[in-house]
Amino acid sequence: MADNNTDTRADWDVEAAPARPSEVDAERERLVAERAARREARLAALAPAPEPEPQPVATAAGPQYAGAPAVAAGTGATAVSDLPVRAETVTVTHRNTDKFAGSLGLFLLRLVTAAIVGSHGLYHLLNLPATTELISSTVLPAPGILAVVLGAAEVAIAIGLVFGLLTRIAGLGLVLVAGGALAFVLWGNWTPFEAGKPGFVGALELLLVAVGVLFMLVGGGGWSVDHGFRARRAEAKAA
């Protein structure tokens, strides 16, 4: 009976005895090593990939590296054919109005319109009293000043149309002048028609309004100063 109790107590003492210090140190070292390995793996995943080193290329002038421009032997100059070339796509758009037919048509229309408007402008400037009296019959203020402004504007519009200079602005001025004549002078009686006469009053001015709108939308065409300015801007942008 005493022997059995002694054996049981001995077994319990063995099971309850703490682990040896050597085993605890080994377990701690294993955990530390695992943590260090995981930390190194995370740092390696976050680190940027190293750039590949240039590979030497054998040339007549000596060993060089891939990607570097070749140097002519004994001169130290870089060969033009070995320089990096960047390909760019440049799209050149040619308007229909810049071609021969469109340029010719707009040029003739500009000349005819300039002749009509310029002759009216010279008449208004050379006959200021009659022009002032005509404007006085409308609701417009300062007829004397407006007579000079009207004549000068018509002459300036004619010059711009002849040379194709600021053609869109000249078209806007043509719309204002011809439209003002229709609104304040010719159609002041609320009817453009006259008994016993074909057509209607202000047909020429209405046509000039339409021509002015055309110049505002398409410009002066290829045979114009505006086209030269536009070509220079395109060359500067491409460069």
Side-chain angles (χ1 to χ4, degrees):
M1 197 65 183
D3 294 337
N4 293 334
N5 292 335
T6 302
D7 296 338
T8 302
R9 188 180 298 108
D11 295 338
W12 182 83
D13 292 339
V14 171
E15 293 176 357
R20 291 191 300 272
S22 59
E23 296 179 356
V24 175
D25 295 339
E27 183 66 19
R28 183 182 295 109
E29 292 177 358
R30 185 180 65 81
L31 293 176
V32 171
E34 290 180 356
R35 292 175 182 174
R38 288 196 296 267
R39 183 172 180 275
E40 292 178 358
R42 287 196 300 269
L43 293 177
L46 296 176
E51 297 182 358
E53 297 182 357
Q55 300 296 328
V57 179
T59 59
Q64 295 186 2
Y65 292 95
V71 179
T75 61
T78 303
V80 177
S81 60
D82 296 329
L83 291 175
V85 179
R86 183 178 63 181
E88 293 184 357
T89 302
V90 178
T91 303
V92 180
T93 303
H94 296 283
R95 303 181 181 180
N96 291 330
T97 54
D98 292 342
K99 297 179 180 180
F100 178 80
S103 300
L104 177 61
L106 287 175
F107 176 70
L108 295 177
L109 182 60
R110 288 190 349 246
L111 291 183
V112 173
T113 307
I116 296 173
V117 178
S119 62
H120 280 74
L122 290 177
Y123 174 82
H124 291 152
L125 289 177
L126 297 177
N127 298 274
L128 286 178
T131 306
T132 303
E133 183 179 357
L134 177 64
I135 298 177
S136 299
S137 63
T138 65
V139 296
L140 296 175
I145 298 176
L146 287 181
V148 178
V149 172
L150 176 62
E154 289 176 332
V155 172
I157 291 171
I159 295 174
L161 292 178
V162 168
F163 294 100
L165 177 63
L166 303 177
T167 309
R168 297 179 188 273
I169 298 177
L172 176 60
L174 184 60
V175 171
L176 295 177
V177 171
L182 289 175
F184 295 105
V185 179
L186 299 175
W187 289 356
N189 297 325
W190 302 100
T191 174
F193 300 100
E194 290 183 354
K197 292 184 179 180
F200 54 89
V201 177
L204 176 61
E205 286 73 11
L206 184 60
L207 180 61
L208 291 178
V209 170
V211 172
V213 172
L214 175 65
F215 287 140
M216 288 175 58
L217 296 178
V218 303
W223 297 356
S224 63
V225 177
D226 293 338
H227 177 264
F229 291 156
R230 189 170 66 249
R232 290 192 185 94
R233 288 196 300 268
E235 292 177 358
K237 185 177 181 181

